[in-house]
Amino acid sequence: MAENQYDAIVVGSGITGGWAAKELTEKGLKVLMLERGRNIEHVKDYVTANKNPWDFPHRGSATRDMREAHPVLRRDYPLNETTDGMWVNEQESPYVEKKRFDWYRAYHVGGRSLLWGRQSYRFNQWDFEANAKEGIGVDWPIRYNDIAPWYSYVEKFAGIQGSKEGLEVLPDGDFLPAMEMNCVEKDVAKRLKEHYKGSRHMFIGRSANLTKPIQERIQCQYRNRCWEGCPFGGYFSTQSSTLPAAMKTGKLTLRPFSIVKEILYDKDKKRATGVEIIDATNNQTYTYQAKTIFVCASAFNSSWLLMNSATDIWPDGLGSSSDALGRNVMDHHFKIGAGGVIEGYEDKYYYGRRPTGIYIPRFRNIYNDKRDYLRGFGYQGGAGREGYGREIAELQIGASFKEALCEPGKWTMSILAFGEMLPDPSNRIYLNKEKKDAWGLPVLEMDVELKENEIRMRKDMADDAVEMLTAAGVKNVHPFDWGYAVGMGIHEMGTARMGRDPKTSVLNGNNQVWDAQNVFVTDGACMTSGSCVNPSLTYMALTARAANFAVEELKKGNL
Amino acid sequence: MQRRELLKMIALVTGGAVIGGEFLLTGCSPVSNNKEFKLTQDQINWLNEIAETILPKTNTPGAKDANVGEFISTQVRDCYSVEDQQVFLKGMDQLEATCKEITGKPFLNCTAEEKTQVLIKIDTERKEWNTEKREEKHYFQMMKQLTLFGFFTSEPGATQALRYVAVPGRYDGCVDYTPGDRAWAS
């Protein structure tokens, strides 16, 4: 095989790119993985991971210089001293906000798999049926049963800790032993169960943190600083998990600093033939050929790549024949919930810093519940004792003030809702050809907003939080709304949806682009609807499923 | 300041205190640059005295042992907006003026009792100011929150005033607590 020829090219190295590379190489394909940013080597390049809090000059705070360099990131918590250098250079890679859209990007090997929140939930059977039943968007071309074995497959490899609850609304998976709820959380869970007669549930948040060693990885050490990279490999990331597996096959070539500019398309064969890249270190262009291409560049960048490809045949890009490309942007809307104080546990505390909280699965619009909006929301949250930042009414300064702050304060319990956002074709992204990035490439323009359904849902998201905490005996409960802007969920979905009909969707039920069947898009872009649960586990399962299908098709000579 | 948001998010989704953490976590945000800001060593020493009065040495180290004055200066220089820097600088003068009114002396010449008396008066003023929800932050809000933040995240503060375990190794969600046991650092 010539030097620039591969069996498969994987664009992107985050959660889905890593999975695609692992699956394709393990099935014997020679794979080139292209990553637009720098390399980050497992453990060696986790530069802050072993620092103590006092080793950070600003103890974790974002500096003015950091805020100036990151006009988007500074809008929320991801910009801070512990992850400085792990986010996109916003000057090099701008985008246009027709309406405000917060886009938190990580351009390096591993992408956001290094930084993610690790919450890992299966979609349920209703998530795959709701669009068809309610006449929203298009029908998913698959059902829960199609993806269930792939959920199991990826869970076993990624390592997801959680408890089996036997709920239809949040199917159980192949879990590692669950992390523990603390004493307050256990009692709140019990009281919720009693109060709502078993119709609402609270249990430990299922997360991609190891509670037992698997592969070369050590179990979680309860430091709760995953986002700095874990020297123990205690959570799932490309670096800790899929990349070593792919490398072990000897069939993977990883090429950092490779900005994929377009997918090369042969209109006679109706197949992609390869990609053209710009090397970010020297601005030279290179082409690579492959029999199949997995586009795993993160939802919006995957769609960007399609939009920028084969424009001589389709002016709006590869996969645009249906007009669905770029439309139906979804996120999870959140930042709303409630919290309060809980009494009677002053003689209890906890040891260790657990990297997950609790989860309350959706209870709205299921079974006999009917609201004035569609779909629903779940809660993440947790209980803990107040730290040194609290005001103490009777003490202001001095020795007794200090001594009081050296002890833990009251127990508090808070929950935060994450709601489903409906696909809406008017929520869209498209190329803005006026503005260019540092490599002269067109950039994306965002035109996305919350619609009526989400706004109605948000009222319940706050009200139900107050009601449940109050029912569970939490005192002084108050709702909060920290203000959500679209994108803040960092769960971008849609823009190249799967469907049953090439006239209304970009991808078929195997994640193949209808117009170029050897091109697969398996990241958030492919989502037909968004559920209210964190989506990464579903991307993993869809990617493994699509990779398996692609290899079978290659063997049959169909691609 | 993004740390506020970060702490809120971490606390919320992993279990931890959010309510009541608001005092410490209010901070700077608007961006505008001023590379000129610099405090003298005398001013840093003065801040260390203020910080020590807020969090004195007891049977554990105090704010001065952690050189909190230096940390405050770094934080105001690198993280504060120019507007907040001005509030802070003006506050240093206001604090001195209040001190002279009460004691007739500069802060550094006061006895420990006098220092405490002055800062309690100013802290009471801060609380009233916050209740009125004024647009501008009270300078002592800045000084006090930076003192707490700087001290409890410092090595002496985290490891001696609080308990710090770099690698806990396990999680136990329900352990007995006896008054006097120290809180966990970060």
Side-chain angles (χ1 to χ4, degrees):
Chain A
M1 233 183 254
E3 204 184 321
N4 62 351
Q5 292 207 339
Y6 293 84
D7 295 320
I9 290 171
V10 176
V11 182
S13 64
I15 285 183
T16 53
W19 267 103
K22 170 189 175 305
E23 295 303 304
L24 296 171
T25 54
E26 286 182 343
K27 291 176 194 300
L29 269 52
K30 185 185 164 199
V31 175
L32 173 67
M33 184 194 243
L34 298 168
E35 163 53 51
R36 64 176 297 147
R38 68 188 167 106
N39 195 11
I40 291 182
E41 279 189 49
H42 188 41
V43 185
K44 175 178 153 280
D45 291 336
Y46 303 152
V47 290
T48 63
N50 284 316
K51 286 186 175 179
N52 290 305
W54 51 87
D55 296 327
F56 293 92
H58 307 91
R59 310 280 165 82
S61 312
T63 63
R64 218 171 38 243
D65 287 347
M66 285 169 62
R67 294 199 302 273
E68 259 176 27
H70 297 282
V72 172
L73 271 160
R74 75 165 184 248
R75 297 170 186 172
D76 204 8
Y77 69 94
L79 185 71
N80 63 77
E81 199 173 29
T82 63
T83 57
D84 191 23
M86 298 285 283
W87 299 102
V88 65
N89 179 323
E90 294 182 28
Q91 282 66 44
E92 284 179 357
S93 302
Y95 63 97
V96 178
E97 296 172 273
K98 182 167 183 208
K99 298 193 183 90
R100 176 177 169 179
F101 191 97
D102 292 13
W103 195 19
Y104 302 91
R105 296 165 287 170
Y107 287 175
H108 49 243
V109 171
R112 292 180 294 192
S113 81
L114 286 169
L115 297 150
W116 68 310
R118 293 153 277 104
Q119 294 292 304
S120 300
Y121 302 101
R122 293 184 175 203
F123 278 32
N124 63 36
Q125 53 181 318
W126 307 315
D127 288 325
F128 292 98
E129 296 162 358
N131 276 7
K133 277 192 181 154
E134 296 162 355
I136 300 293
V138 298
D139 187 17
W140 277 89
I142 57 170
R143 288 292 178 262
Y144 179 74
N145 288 340
D146 296 311
I147 195 175
W150 295 102
Y151 274 133
S152 293
Y153 179 77
V154 297
E155 282 161 351
K156 283 182 208 155
F157 181 81
I160 311 295
Q161 66 76 29
S163 56
K164 295 214 178 201
E165 302 291 335
L167 304 173
E168 283 183 301
V169 71
L170 196 73
D172 291 334
D174 283 80
F175 297 139
L176 297 174
M179 288 182 177
E180 195 195 357
M181 289 199 283
N182 63 41
C183 17
V184 166
E185 292 162 349
K186 279 181 193 161
D187 281 1
V188 167
K190 207 187 303 168
R191 290 174 201 168
L192 285 178
K193 196 172 179 183
E194 282 162 16
H195 184 87
Y196 293 100
K197 303 188 172 38
S199 67
R200 297 195 192 177
H201 310 270
M202 173 174 143
F203 41 87
I204 194 73
R206 297 168 178 172
S207 71
N209 292 95
L210 301 185
T211 49
K212 282 203 307 214
I214 55 175
Q215 302 134 22
E216 315 290 305
R217 304 162 55 198
I218 297 166
Q219 72 273 21
C220 175
Q221 298 296 305
Y222 297 94
R223 306 177 338 136
N224 193 24
R225 49 195 300 188
C226 313
W227 52 91
E228 295 175 72
C230 182
F232 305 95
Y235 72 96
F236 174 92
S237 65
T238 294
Q239 274 83 348
S240 71
S241 309
T242 46
L243 187 58
M247 283 297 185
K248 202 182 274 177
T249 63
K251 294 196 169 285
L252 182 72
T253 304
L254 169 61
R255 193 185 197 289
F257 295 117
S258 305
I259 301 167
V260 182
K261 189 182 154 214
E262 63 174 293
I263 294 167
L264 304 170
Y265 181 77
D266 182 330
K267 65 171 186 258
D268 298 324
K269 292 185 181 146
K270 297 197 167 76
R271 290 286 186 273
T273 57
V275 298
E276 182 171 305
I277 69 155
I278 300 176
D279 186 313
T281 62
N282 62 14
N283 287 335
Q284 300 289 310
T285 59
Y286 301 87
T287 60
Y288 295 94
Q289 274 92 46
K291 293 175 211 155
T292 185
I293 296 167
F294 269 67
V295 183
C296 301
S298 82
F300 291 180
N301 280 324
S302 288
S303 285
W304 177 91
L305 180 57
L306 296 180
M307 290 174 191
N308 210 43
S309 303
T311 47
D312 51 336
I313 301 155
W314 300 279
D316 293 323
L318 185 63
S320 68
S321 58
S322 68
D323 190 44
L325 184 63
R327 295 192 183 274
N328 303 293
V329 170
M330 296 168 283
D331 185 29
H332 288 128
H333 61 103
F334 74 124
K335 296 222 154 192
I336 196 163
V341 171
I342 191 155
E343 290 161 355
Y345 300 85
E346 290 69 27
D347 59 344
K348 296 293 173 203
Y349 205 17
Y350 37 80
Y351 173 84
R353 298 183 290 278
R354 195 184 57 192
T356 187
I358 58 89
Y359 194 72
I360 297 172
R362 174 180 160 188
F363 47 83
R364 286 300 180 201
N365 288 322
I366 59 171
Y367 303 118
N368 292 325
D369 188 75
K370 193 91 196 84
R371 312 300 296 170
D372 65 346
Y373 54 85
L374 299 173
R375 318 287 165 100
F377 51 89
Y379 290 99
Q380 296 180 34
R385 294 188 74 158
E386 290 177 321
Y388 57 79
R390 64 191 190 269
E391 288 264 21
I392 299 179
E394 65 279 19
L395 296 168
Q396 293 180 282
I397 59 162
S400 40
F401 173 65
K402 177 189 158 199
E403 289 307 313
L405 289 184
C406 289
E407 295 186 15
K410 293 174 187 146
W411 278 93
T412 67
M413 170 89 206
S414 310
I415 54 175
L416 176 70
F418 288 75
E420 178 163 355
M421 183 170 165
L422 292 178
D424 186 306
S426 70
N427 279 332
R428 60 186 288 246
I429 59 171
Y430 43 85
L431 291 189
N432 176 314
K433 294 183 179 158
E434 312 292 305
K435 198 169 173 86
K436 300 277 197 278
D437 71 8
W439 295 274
L441 299 169
V443 305
L444 284 173
E445 181 162 327
M446 321 299 199
D447 182 6
V448 184
E449 63 185 7
L450 287 191
K451 305 285 186 190
E452 207 45 49
N453 196 66
E454 290 82 41
I455 292 162
R456 274 202 293 267
M457 186 188 296
R458 286 178 80 75
K459 189 173 177 326
D460 264 7
M461 288 158 74
D463 291 352
D464 288 346
V466 172
E467 186 197 285
M468 281 192 287
L469 291 180
T470 306
V474 179
K475 302 273 186 286
N476 192 20
V477 177
H478 28 261
F480 56 79
D481 185 346
W482 295 334
Y484 164 83
V486 194
M488 278 182 158
I490 325 186
H491 292 168
E492 309 95 75
M493 291 175 281
T495 69
R497 69 182 173 198
M498 294 166 76
R500 298 177 184 272
D501 182 350
K503 290 193 194 71
T504 55
S505 57
V506 179
L507 308 171
N508 68 15
N510 290 304
N511 296 78
Q512 293 170 285
V513 176
W514 288 109
D515 300 331
Q517 303 227 337
N518 63 341
V519 178
F520 292 78
V521 181
T522 69
D523 59 22
C526 77
M527 302 297 279
T528 312
S529 69
S531 180
C532 64
V533 301
N534 305 55
S536 299
L537 187 74
T538 299
Y539 306 162
M540 295 190 206
L542 287 171
T543 304
R545 179 176 173 271
N548 182 62
F549 175 82
V551 172
E552 280 177 13
E553 288 293 284
L554 277 171
K555 280 189 202 148
K556 291 181 199 154
N558 289 347
L559 288 186
Chain B
M1 118 164 90
Q2 279 64 27
R3 186 174 169 84
R4 173 189 183 192
E5 296 298 327
L6 176 72
L7 291 181
K8 278 203 300 197
M9 290 299 297
I10 294 172
L12 243 175
V13 298
T14 61
V18 177
I19 310 301
E22 296 301 294
F23 160 65
L24 173 78
L25 300 171
T26 44
C28 51
S29 65
V31 174
S32 48
N33 229 337
N34 172 21
K35 309 271 189 215
E36 311 302 309
F37 184 92
K38 190 169 171 17
L39 295 183
T40 63
Q41 192 54 50
D42 282 350
Q43 288 172 308
I44 289 170
N45 295 344
W46 183 88
L47 284 171
N48 263 326
E49 290 302 324
I50 302 284
E52 183 72 13
T53 309
I54 297 170
L55 298 175
K57 187 186 187 85
T58 51
N59 59 352
T60 59
K64 227 196 296 187
D65 296 316
N67 197 8
V68 165
E70 180 78 45
F71 171 77
I72 294 176
S73 150
T74 303
Q75 212 68 2
V76 175
R77 183 192 65 208
D78 297 343
C79 300
Y80 271 30
S81 66
V82 173
E83 294 70 30
D84 285 348
Q85 286 176 341
Q86 292 314 312
V87 173
F88 186 90
L89 283 175
K90 222 168 71 191
M92 291 175 74
D93 294 338
Q94 278 170 278
L95 194 149
E96 271 302 325
T98 307
C99 184
K100 285 220 181 73
E101 249 170 58
I102 298 172
T103 67
K105 287 184 279 190
F107 191 79
L108 292 184
N109 294 354
C110 289
T111 64
E113 288 72 26
E114 287 167 334
K115 285 178 182 164
T116 302
Q117 188 195 352
V118 170
L119 292 196
I120 284 181
K121 181 169 189 302
I122 293 172
D123 191 58
T124 307
E125 183 188 298
R126 171 191 71 84
K127 284 190 173 181
E128 284 161 9
W129 182 285
N130 286 353
T131 318
E132 292 161 17
K133 294 196 191 304
R134 299 204 205 176
E135 192 65 27
E136 192 177 283
K137 282 188 266 299
H138 192 278
Y139 69 90
F140 197 64
Q141 179 86 7
M142 298 174 171
M143 291 179 188
K144 191 174 175 182
Q145 85 180 27
L146 287 173
T147 298
L148 266 55
F149 180 36
F151 176 70
F152 287 112
T153 56
S154 72
E155 184 164 12
T159 63
Q160 295 176 61
L162 303 176
R163 287 185 285 174
Y164 176 66
V165 185
V167 185
R170 65 187 162 81
Y171 179 74
D172 189 340
C174 205
V175 299
D176 286 335
Y177 178 79
T178 312
D181 291 350
R182 311 226 152 233
W184 301 117
S186 39

